[in-house]
Amino acid sequence: MCLIAEVVHSCSNEKVAQAAVASIGSEFAGKVRATASVYGMSMGAFAARTVIQFDRNCGGEEKQALRRIMKGADQPILIALEHILKPAVDGVAPGSVDA
């Protein structure tokens, strides 16, 4: 299974996504939690939904860019998850999550 497929497979599960976000770090997890609350969702549900939306909506160039980011990383799954969530958390893609 390719690494992006592994991210989607693993992190589309709410409990796995929540644990993965928490392991990225408390500051980032706090931002994800705050954003999730705006949508009336838990951190895990928000992260899982964002990963699923990324998989459904991203194009080949975005996936290629994600592969480059993941290549050689110590924790490629967490790097990918952070990269996927960051635009939604930073408000760049407010419509990316359908609550």
Side-chain angles (χ1 to χ4, degrees), residues 11-19 21 32-33 35-37 39-53 81 85 96-99:
C11 295
S12 62
N13 176 291
E14 182 177 338
K15 300 284 187 195
V16 173
Q18 180 170 333
V21 169
V32 175
R33 187 176 292 108
T35 304
S37 71
Y39 293 100
M41 302 171 81
S42 70
M43 179 174 71
F46 173 79
R49 173 98 31 126
T50 303
V51 167
I52 291 166
Q53 291 294 327
L81 180 60
L85 292 174
S96 65
V97 177
D98 300 321

Side-chain angles (χ1 to χ4, degrees), residues 19-33 43 78 82:
V21 169
S23 69
I24 291 170
S26 60
E27 183 179 338
F28 186 72
K31 290 178 182 180
V32 175
R33 187 176 292 108
M43 179 174 71
L78 296 181
E82 184 176 9

